[in-house]
Amino acid sequence: MEATPTNLVLFLLPSILFISRAPHVTPATPCPPCGNTTVPFPLSTTPTCGDPAYKIRCTTNTLLFDTLNNSYPIESINPKSQRLVIRPAPLVPNTCITTDKIHQGIQLNNTLPFNITSSNTIVYLNCTQALLLSPLNCSSSSLCHTYINATASASVCNNGLLCCTFRTGGSSNSYQIRVRDVGCSAYSSFVNLNPDLPVNRWPQPGLEIQWLLPRETVCASQKDCDSATSACGLDPSSGSGIKRCFCINDLVWDPIDGVCTKKATSHDPNGSGRNRITVAAHIV
Ligand SMILES: *[C@@H]1O[C@H](CO)[C@@H](O)[C@H](O)[C@H]1NC(C)=O
Ligand SMILES: *[C@@H]1O[C@H](CO)[C@@H](O)[C@H](O)[C@H]1NC(C)=O
Ligand SMILES: *[C@@H]1O[C@H](CO)[C@@H](O)[C@H](O)[C@H]1NC(C)=O
Ligand SMILES: *[C@@H]1O[C@H](CO)[C@@H](O)[C@H](O)[C@H]1NC(C)=O
Ligand SMILES: *[C@@H]1O[C@H](CO)[C@@H](O)[C@H](O)[C@H]1NC(C)=O
Ligand SMILES: *[C@@H]1O[C@H](CO)[C@@H](O)[C@H](O)[C@H]1NC(C)=O
Ligand SMILES: *[C@@H]1O[C@H](CO)[C@@H](O)[C@H](O)[C@H]1NC(C)=O
Ligand SMILES: *[C@@H]1O[C@H](CO)[C@@H](O)[C@H](O)[C@H]1NC(C)=O
C-alpha cells in the first residue's frame, strides 16, 4: 500500500476510535498525515505517534529523512515492503560537486533501524584515480557516461573527469553513499534502474531505504497498552528491563500495522525483515 491520500481514511479510522475510547495516546498510535502524505506505522513524526525509533520529520507539509549530518526529502513510502525513497542531493550549479559533499554524502546512523537497500544504481561523478582500484565500473563504457552525456546539468562532469557506476547492496554501502575529496565529489542514484533504457526513460533520482520490522510497543506500565489486546510485560530478549505491550488472548503482533491481530498477517514475507538486505563485498 503506497502512502496515498486514499489510504488516509484507513489509517485515521482506528486512531480516531482509539483516541475516543482511551484518552491516553500510546506510541503505537498512527501519525497524522504530513500535508497530503500518509505517515504509515512505524514511521514517527512526533514522540507520541508511530514507533519513536523510526523518527522522520514533517516540515512545511514535506516529509524529511534525517541522516547523521543532513536531511533529504522523502519521495515515496511503501509500508508493505518497509521501504521509502529519498531524493538525493543535487549538484551545486555549474560544478560537479553535490550539495551534500560537505557532509560526506549520505551517511545513515547505523544504530537506527534503517538500511540502504540493494535496489539502487549509483553513478559516482568526478572521481579520483584511486577509484580505478575499486571494484566499481569506471570504464569508458560505464553507465555513468551514458548518464552524463544525456543530462544537461551534469555536462560539467564530462570534462575528462573519471566517473564510476555500481549497484548498492555491499556491506560498506548499506549505511552510506560517500562523497569526498579522496573519492568522488558527486553522485546520483536510481531505484530499480533498467540500464537498457535510454536516460530520458530513467526514473527520477532516488535512493531506496528499508526499515526493520518494529517490535511491540515499549511501555512503562499497563496504561500505555491497549488492555483489550495487550499486556505490559518485561521483554525477555532485552536484558535491560525494557517492557513492551505483548499481545494477549491468542492475538499476535502485526509489525506492519503495529497492532495485535487474530492471526499472523504475512503481507509480503519476501519484502520484510533484515534477511532481505543482501550482503556482498564492496569497497568504496
Ligand atoms: C493536497 O491535495 C490538494 C487536493 O488534491 C491539493 O490542492 C494540494 O495542493 C495538495 N497539497 C500538498 C501540500 O501537496
Ligand atoms: C571535482 O571535484 C574536485 C574535488 O572536490 C573539485 O575541486 C572540482 O572543482 C570538481 N570539478 C568540478 C567540475 O566541479
Ligand atoms: C557530522 O557532525 C558531527 C557532529 O556535529 C561532526 O563531528 C562530524 O564531523 C560531521 N561529519 C561530517 C562528515 O560532516
Ligand atoms: C544515532 O542514533 C542513536 C539512537 O537514536 C542516538 O542515540 C545517537 O546519538 C545517534 N548518533 C549520532 C551520531 O547522531
Ligand atoms: C543492515 O545491513 C547490515 C549488514 O549488511 C546488517 O548487519 C544490519 O542488521 C542491517 N540493518 C538493518 C537496519 O537492516
Ligand atoms: C561496465 O559497464 C558497461 C555498461 O554497463 C559494461 O558494458 C561493461 O562490461 C562493464 N565493465 C566492467 C569491467 O564490469
Ligand atoms: C559520451 O559522449 C562522448 C562524447 O560525445 C562519447 O565519446 C562517448 O562514447 C559517450 N559515452 C557513452 C557511454 O554514451
Ligand atoms: C518469496 O521468494 C521465494 C524465493 O524467491 C519464492 O519462491 C516465493 O514464491 C516468494 N513468496 C512470495 C509470497 O512472494
Side-chain angles (χ1 to χ4, degrees), residues 139-150 158:
S139 75
S140 59
S141 61
S142 177
L143 209 56
C144 58
H145 291 287
T146 314
Y147 169 75
I148 292 170
N149 281 6
N158 212 358

Side-chain angles (χ1 to χ4, degrees), residues 9-213:
V9 178
L10 297 176
F11 277 102
L12 275 182
L13 266 180
S15 70
I16 289 167
L17 292 176
F18 183 69
I19 289 165
S20 61
R21 194 178 62 222
H24 188 88
V25 180
T26 79
T29 305
C31 292
C34 177
N36 290 346
T37 310
T38 301
V39 178
F41 184 84
L43 300 180
S44 170
T45 48
T46 77
T48 53
C49 71
D51 181 327
Y54 296 78
K55 182 177 171 292
I56 57 174
R57 267 192 303 139
C58 176
T59 305
T60 57
N61 293 338
T62 303
L63 285 173
L64 295 176
F65 184 85
D66 287 329
T67 56
L68 281 181
N69 293 41
N70 202 10
S71 67
Y72 298 83
I74 296 175
E75 297 284 352
S76 63
I77 304 176
N78 184 340
K80 279 196 180 163
S81 62
Q82 297 92 51
R83 285 158 193 247
L84 57 84
V85 175
I86 60 172
R87 191 194 312 148
L91 292 172
V92 176
N94 303 313
T95 74
C96 191
I97 301 175
T98 39
T99 56
D100 59 359
K101 179 167 177 261
I102 48 167
H103 305 299
Q104 292 192 21
I106 298 177
Q107 308 272 345
L108 306 194
N109 179 341
N110 65 10
T111 66
L112 297 178
F114 294 99
N115 247 359
I116 295 172
T117 73
S118 51
S119 304
N120 304 286
T121 297
I122 308 294
V123 291
Y124 258 147
L125 312 171
N126 190 7
C127 302
T128 61
Q129 298 292 315
L131 267 286
L132 292 173
L133 302 173
S134 77
L136 310 191
N137 186 336
C138 308
S139 75
S140 59
S141 61
S142 177
L143 209 56
C144 58
H145 291 287
T146 314
Y147 169 75
I148 292 170
N149 281 6
T151 308
S153 61
S155 61
V156 64
C157 299
N158 212 358
N159 300 324
L161 299 175
L162 188 63
C163 75
C164 307
T165 310
F166 74 102
R167 180 100 169 184
T168 50
S171 51
S172 72
N173 51 52
S174 46
Y175 297 108
Q176 58 181 2
I177 303 298
R178 216 164 181 192
V179 173
R180 50 182 176 156
D181 277 338
V182 296
C184 307
S185 288
Y187 71 99
S188 195
S189 172
F190 301 91
V191 180
N192 294 324
L193 179 66
N194 173 356
D196 297 330
L197 289 177
V199 177
N200 63 12
R201 291 180 58 198
W202 286 15
Q204 287 300 307
L207 183 83
E208 190 183 68
I209 287 171
Q210 185 172 30
W211 64 83
L212 283 183
L213 287 171

